Amino acid sequence: MTTSNETDTQRHRSTKQRAAVLAAVEGVHTHPSAEEVYRVVRKKIRNVSLATVYRNLHLLAEEGKIREVQFKGDSIRYDGMLEAHEHFYCTSCGAIEDLPSKLPATALSSLTNKLGVTIERYALDYYGLCKKCKSRKS
Amino acid sequence: MTTSNETDTQRHRSTKQRAAVLAAVEGVHTHPSAEEVYRVVRKKIRNVSLATVYRNLHLLAEEGKIREVQFKGDSIRYDGMLEAHEHFYCTSCGAIEDLPSKLPATALSSLTNKLGVTIERYALDYYGLCKKCKSRKS
DNA sequence: TTCCTTGCAAATCGTTTGCAAGCGC
DNA sequence: GCGCTTGCAAACGATTTGCAAGGAA
């Protein structure tokens, strides 16, 4: 047999585009969209294409180096924080705040047993108005 | 002053299209997409348009008669169950199961105070393989 | 040299909108 | 009759894909 296995027949090469995309997501806490990542990466690599940004975002998410998140009515956004956590999403300006994970691990196992399902992950998202938007509207 | 107020200047008329859309969402527990609602409504009203289905889905959601839900990577889907509850989403076939609400109300108020935000709602979504997909893949 | 990656442009998907005709109140 | 609603088709925004050239290993 070779050095590669069935689930890893294709090797990922290291390219400056890939590195720049990863750096762009890791460098902020704003949970940027693909478009926003694209704008940041373009500052380093002027002729990078949006398609390349999309491809690398997916690839990095598959590798587990970043995470994809999505809130109702918004586009997919990217998160460089890998530890389990929850989100607050502002329905007015789209700002996202990370929150420490609060869901007890027992909640997952009890569901696994009750429903006969396999749970890979969960998302606990709070929707509302952030501090700024709250005062702006009062 | 008149019988209408500032937030209710436009009246909603009752149309057979609107009624059929509502019935389609309320009639199933599958959390149908707009396209699926369209297919059901078409059986009653052959020449209904997809745009009308979309418009009525939004309108009914605004009125609070149905709810919109969205899971990562999937299109918006509709839920006729109005009581607070949580969801299990199968990442393989897209099936959704309703789960009783487990999140303690105290979680919301503590966040409200800590972050200085206003929380309107939350979504607690579990992702994984449903019973069928689980056995199908083993 | 191999074949993964890229940039570009076109395609796709879900959803929204403009418009003139239709219909509830 | 007024004006909300509809059906149709075109427009839209986000994301994906085909393809030939480019660049890691």
Side-chain angles (χ1 to χ4, degrees):
Chain A
M1 66 183 274
T2 69
T3 52
S4 59
N5 61 45
E6 303 79 52
T7 60
D8 185 17
T9 44
Q10 63 181 15
R11 282 292 159 64
H12 293 155
R13 295 174 180 171
S14 84
T15 65
K16 61 180 178 182
Q17 288 88 344
R18 186 116 72 224
V21 168
L22 178 57
V25 175
E26 288 181 333
V28 295
H29 292 145
T30 54
H31 307 74
S33 65
E35 188 69 41
E36 290 164 340
V37 170
Y38 173 56
R39 271 187 239 125
V40 172
V41 172
R42 253 219 282 206
K43 291 179 186 169
K44 280 186 175 179
I45 309 171
R46 296 130 279 155
N47 70 323
V48 71
S49 88
L50 182 55
T52 293
V53 170
Y54 270 105
R55 280 186 286 235
N56 280 311
L57 285 170
H58 287 155
L59 197 147
L60 291 165
E62 268 177 34
E63 291 180 344
K65 293 180 179 166
I66 61 177
R67 283 171 54 180
E68 296 183 312
V69 295
Q70 184 170 28
F71 301 90
K72 191 164 72 69
D74 201 348
S75 54
I76 293 177
R77 294 170 62 170
Y78 295 87
D79 191 343
M81 195 195 245
L82 300 179
E83 305 84 72
H85 63 284
E86 302 167 359
H87 291 115
F88 170 82
Y89 177 83
C90 178
T91 52
S92 178
C93 71
I96 298 171
E97 293 188 45
D98 288 320
L99 306 171
S101 178
K102 266 193 184 163
L103 200 71
T106 55
L108 298 183
S109 56
S110 96
L111 277 179
T112 301
N113 297 331
K114 198 183 305 174
L115 301 178
V117 303
T118 307
I119 294 181
E120 294 156 1
R121 63 181 187 281
Y122 75 91
L124 177 44
D125 306 324
Y126 298 92
Y127 291 82
L129 293 179
C130 72
K131 209 168 184 175
K132 282 185 187 171
C133 290
K134 187 179 158 188
S135 58
R136 189 180 301 144
K137 294 196 174 182
S138 63
Chain B
M1 67 184 274
T2 69
T3 52
S4 60
N5 61 46
E6 302 80 50
T7 59
D8 186 17
T9 43
Q10 63 181 14
R11 284 290 160 65
H12 292 155
R13 294 175 181 171
S14 86
T15 65
K16 60 180 179 184
Q17 287 88 344
R18 186 116 73 225
V21 167
L22 178 57
V25 175
E26 288 180 333
V28 295
H29 292 146
T30 54
H31 306 75
S33 64
E35 188 70 42
E36 289 163 340
V37 170
Y38 173 55
R39 270 187 240 122
V40 172
V41 172
R42 252 220 281 207
K43 291 177 184 168
K44 280 187 175 178
I45 310 172
R46 298 141 264 153
N47 69 324
V48 71
S49 88
L50 182 54
T52 293
V53 169
Y54 270 105
R55 280 186 286 235
N56 280 310
L57 284 170
H58 287 155
L59 198 148
L60 291 165
E62 269 177 36
E63 291 181 344
K65 292 180 180 167
I66 62 177
R67 283 170 54 178
E68 296 183 311
V69 295
Q70 184 170 29
F71 302 90
K72 191 164 72 68
D74 201 348
S75 54
I76 294 177
R77 293 169 63 169
Y78 295 86
D79 191 344
M81 196 196 247
L82 300 179
E83 305 85 72
H85 63 284
E86 303 166 0
H87 291 115
F88 169 82
Y89 177 82
C90 179
T91 52
S92 178
C93 69
I96 297 171
E97 294 189 43
D98 287 320
L99 306 171
S101 178
K102 265 191 183 166
L103 200 71
T106 55
L108 298 183
S109 56
S110 96
L111 277 179
T112 301
N113 297 330
K114 199 184 302 174
L115 301 178
V117 303
T118 307
I119 295 180
E120 294 155 1
R121 62 180 189 280
Y122 74 91
L124 176 44
D125 306 324
Y126 299 92
Y127 291 82
L129 293 180
C130 72
K131 209 167 184 174
K132 282 185 187 171
C133 291
K134 187 178 158 187
S135 57
R136 190 179 301 145
K137 295 196 173 182
S138 62

